[in-house]
Amino acid sequence: MDIESNKELKQLLLEMAEVADFLWKRGWAERNAGNISISVDHCIKKPLQNLEAYPSFELDRAYPKLATKHFLVTGTGKRMRDLARNPLENARIIRLNNKGDAYWIISQQEIIDNFQPTSELPTHLGIHQMIKERGSQEKVVMHAHVSELIALTQSAEHCDEDTLNKLIWGMHPETMIFIPKGIGFIPFVMPGTEEIARKTIQSLADHDMVLWEKHGIFAIGSSVYDTFDAIDIVSKSVKIWFMCRSAGIQPQGLSEEKLASLRDLSSRF
Ligand code: 2HA
Ligand code: ZN
């Protein structure tokens, strides 16, 4: 399948590339850090028929809700800065089979360049399946190594959801407005595993994003811009907290009362 001949797909790939550049420039995507997937079924009007011609790969588990679905995914080992400059080489479309337990890479017919989807594919697919199950509209899953957030998880005191969320909400009113369900926290688990995927999905059921101890963040959104913005807002709050601490100021945060009013305001958005 040729991405360039499909206007909508091409647009999504360009948006993914632009946000990859943001991640790189923020310093949240060293080497091959970070990964993005976008549900692109709505762009595929005529699904391919000759799937046998494409490389196929089994998954470790089935994702029945994702059977026959298409995703634009970044590649394992690929750099966000390279994706920004050369999107076609660093992201591909995968299409799951009828059972949702294997996939084809369908945007690289006859190109044997060893492209493999992100090592965090289990978490990406698990989240896309959760989104389908709950019937919500998010299309994008994004992972980045946000330094400020990783730094916080170096302190046992902040490896706790209540402390973490009080901190982020307290630094700026818009954090509560845009991230009202807060951040879920997952104590260290090996990356790329089914275990981390399962825990992330559980945690996303009642949070806006999930922080992996000493590793990074996973967020979802309706577009790559939305998803990036959510991460950016949280990062801003944590930066303010660190700035205060570096200047010897103990940040006061917003009171419970003010946070409750902001929560009310957020529910009206
Ligand atoms: O894509 O960030 O967690 C590389 C990673 C793995
Ligand atoms: Zn990572």
Side-chain angles (χ1 to χ4, degrees):
M1 167 175 284
D2 176 16
I3 297 183
E4 287 193 288
S5 62
N6 180 321
K7 241 172 102 180
E8 281 177 279
L9 265 183
K10 193 176 171 192
Q11 176 62 25
L12 288 177
L13 182 64
L14 293 177
E15 291 179 2
M16 181 191 250
E18 187 177 21
V19 169
D21 191 48
F22 297 168
L23 296 174
W24 163 247
K25 289 188 173 144
R26 281 280 201 280
W28 299 344
E30 73 287 353
R31 198 176 187 276
N32 60 315
N35 29 75
I36 308 172
S37 63
I38 310 180
S39 167
V40 294
D41 246 43
H42 58 292
C43 308
I44 314 244
K45 309 287 182 269
K46 273 196 239 139
L48 286 174
Q49 298 306 319
N50 60 331
L51 288 161
E52 313 72 44
Y54 296 85
S56 79
F57 303 90
E58 281 181 21
L59 290 161
D60 288 339
R61 57 163 287 206
Y63 301 86
K65 287 269 186 295
L66 303 184
T68 75
K69 302 288 181 219
H70 298 78
F71 297 92
L72 180 58
V73 295
T74 55
T76 190
K78 304 292 187 191
R79 284 147 169 82
M80 287 290 153
R81 63 172 186 264
D82 293 338
L83 173 63
R85 283 191 306 234
N86 195 348
L88 280 170
E89 297 273 307
N90 294 283
R92 298 282 153 85
I93 296 175
I94 63 168
R95 187 235 197 237
L96 274 75
N97 67 0
N98 290 342
K99 290 191 189 143
D101 63 359
Y103 63 90
W104 289 274
I105 301 180
I106 64 166
S107 53
Q108 66 169 26
Q109 190 178 15
E110 288 162 4
I111 304 172
I112 309 300
D113 66 355
N114 296 325
F115 179 97
Q116 290 288 307
T118 164
S119 57
E120 304 294 359
L121 192 64
T123 302
H124 282 261
L125 292 180
I127 295 175
H128 283 293
Q129 171 148 288
M130 181 207 77
I131 292 169
K132 290 260 180 306
E133 277 165 356
R134 72 184 188 190
S136 57
Q137 298 308 309
E138 295 90 352
K139 293 208 161 15
V140 175
V141 177
M142 191 180 294
H143 167 59
H145 294 181
V146 179
S147 319
E148 304 83 342
L149 287 168
I150 300 168
L152 264 189
T153 71
Q154 300 291 337
S155 125
E157 184 196 344
H158 294 102
C159 291
D160 167 80
E161 283 176 2
D162 286 343
T163 314
L164 205 56
N165 284 306
K166 198 155 188 290
L167 183 155
I168 61 152
W169 287 327
M171 293 302 107
H172 196 286
E174 300 217 335
T175 314
M176 174 61 92
I177 293 177
F178 292 107
I179 320 289
K181 292 193 277 173
I183 307 180
F185 174 77
I186 300 191
F188 191 84
V189 178
M190 287 306 285
T193 57
E194 280 295 336
E195 183 187 355
I196 202 158
R198 188 169 31 81
K199 290 185 169 162
T200 307
I201 295 151
Q202 266 168 11
S203 178
L204 261 184
D206 46 13
H207 294 100
D208 292 307
M209 57 181 81
V210 177
L211 180 58
W212 291 356
E213 180 183 350
K214 302 183 180 83
H215 184 149
I217 191 90
F218 253 91
I220 59 177
S222 54
S223 72
V224 278
Y225 300 116
D226 263 8
T227 318
F228 173 84
D229 286 342
I231 300 175
D232 202 25
I233 285 172
V234 168
S235 136
K236 170 87 175 199
S237 280
V238 178
K239 265 190 211 136
I240 295 169
W241 187 83
F242 275 116
M243 282 173 86
C244 293
R245 295 296 296 256
S246 318
I249 298 167
Q250 179 55 43
Q252 284 184 333
L254 292 161
S255 66
E256 292 289 351
E257 205 186 359
K258 292 194 177 87
L259 290 180
S261 312
L262 286 164
R263 189 182 290 283
D264 274 357
L265 188 62
S266 152
S267 65
R268 279 185 261 130
F269 263 58

